[in-house]
Amino acid sequence: MSILKQLALRLYRHPGPTLNLASARNLRSLSSRLSRAKGGAGLKILNIGGGGRPLPADHVAADVRDATIFVDIRRTPLVNVVGDAAALPFVDGSIDAALSLALLEHVPDSVRSVAEMHRVLKRGGLVYCEIPFLQVFHAAPNDYGRFTDVGIRHLFRHFEEVKLGVCVGPSSALSWMLREYLAGLFTWFSDNRRAKLVADFLAAWLTFPIKYLDLLFAHRPSARTMASAFYFLGAKK
């Protein structure tokens, strides 16, 4: 990559549209729970669809990170197993915990993918997922669906629910949608790639402060009605 291209990419960086206020806390709690349960020995954890995103070292204990198997449909330096979330290459009841962070919207059969998590987990094994509700289209490589909190409960109905809550609140939902809408206005909703890159940059800087209102509102009871994303923690019955 040329020096000019690297410089251009650095200058193009802009703030993200959402603020996840629960992920770090939840991963820290899950990590502690798993470490306590087995003393870190013999753990087997799946991070499904994690791709190139490592688990944060400041939230996840070293023994949990060392026990985590990264599964994805594409090979990256972090991926240990190339496989499909709808057909996990693991035997029944062999896994202590399964994570999926912003995965289920990207699989064509979310019901089957959740059933696969259930199948490979040991009895009492934990599942932790972060799942979108109000978000704009974002393909990676495809984008198939969204879930309300009621829909999530139905999707995970074969698990015992430990906790279901908002991880990305309504202000983030507004920030992302307004950003996309402004970028569309700036380009007259054109599909011109260069124009869209400029429009995205401008719209991002104009709208990103809105997400910080979630510091006030994401925990409020009615935030679920227009949350950007939910989290679900459950255990295999």
Side-chain angles (χ1 to χ4, degrees):
M1 186 182 294
S2 70
I3 294 174
L4 286 176
K5 190 171 183 180
Q6 290 181 38
L7 180 60
L9 288 173
R10 285 179 179 273
L11 292 174
Y12 181 70
R13 287 178 183 169
H14 47 70
T18 61
L19 186 66
N20 192 323
L21 295 172
S23 189
R25 179 186 70 239
N26 291 342
L27 288 174
R28 192 180 298 117
S29 175
L30 179 65
S31 174
S32 297
R33 185 168 177 165
L34 289 168
S35 293
R36 288 197 307 270
K38 300 187 73 171
L43 280 172
K44 201 170 185 181
I45 302 160
L46 299 184
N47 183 356
I48 306 165
R53 295 172 298 169
L55 295 175
D58 50 345
H59 306 316
V60 179
D63 58 340
V64 172
R65 282 185 282 117
D66 291 344
T68 299
I69 301 165
F70 282 73
V71 182
D72 203 283
I73 58 171
R74 295 172 293 189
R75 175 70 67 185
T76 75
L78 277 178
V79 169
N80 308 107
V81 176
V82 175
D84 190 339
L88 293 172
F90 300 94
V91 300
D92 297 3
S94 60
I95 303 298
D96 295 289
L99 315 178
S100 78
L101 309 178
L103 162 76
L104 291 176
E105 72 269 35
H106 298 301
V107 296
D109 191 345
S110 55
V111 173
R112 180 62 186 162
S113 297
V114 171
E116 278 292 278
M117 294 181 205
H118 188 274
R119 178 184 66 79
V120 302
L121 283 172
K122 298 175 181 177
R123 186 174 296 276
L126 299 174
V127 62
Y128 176 74
C129 297
E130 295 179 3
I131 308 154
F133 175 30
L134 295 180
Q135 295 184 1
V136 304
F137 180 85
H138 55 284
N142 291 303
D143 191 356
Y144 295 99
R146 302 290 184 267
F147 295 89
T148 63
D149 57 342
V150 176
I152 290 169
R153 281 201 168 97
H154 181 72
L155 186 63
F156 289 89
R157 63 191 178 279
H158 298 301
F159 289 88
E160 177 185 351
E161 181 182 321
V162 177
K163 196 169 184 182
L164 169 63
V166 171
C167 60
V168 187
S171 307
S172 292
L174 177 61
S175 170
W176 200 349
M177 291 185 183
L178 185 57
R179 167 178 163 173
E180 193 76 6
Y181 183 71
L182 281 178
L185 285 181
F186 293 156
T187 62
W188 206 244
F189 287 91
S190 162
D191 61 0
N192 182 291
R193 187 173 178 275
R194 288 186 179 179
K196 195 168 187 316
L197 284 173
V198 175
D200 284 343
F201 180 84
L202 294 174
W205 283 104
L206 288 171
T207 57
F208 87 91
I210 296 170
K211 69 183 179 183
Y212 292 106
L213 291 171
D214 275 341
L215 293 167
L216 299 174
F217 301 129
H219 67 285
R220 301 298 300 159
S222 290
R224 63 183 180 82
T225 63
M226 60 172 296
S228 179
F230 294 100
Y231 67 85
F232 178 86
L233 175 64
K236 182 173 178 177
K237 299 176 184 177

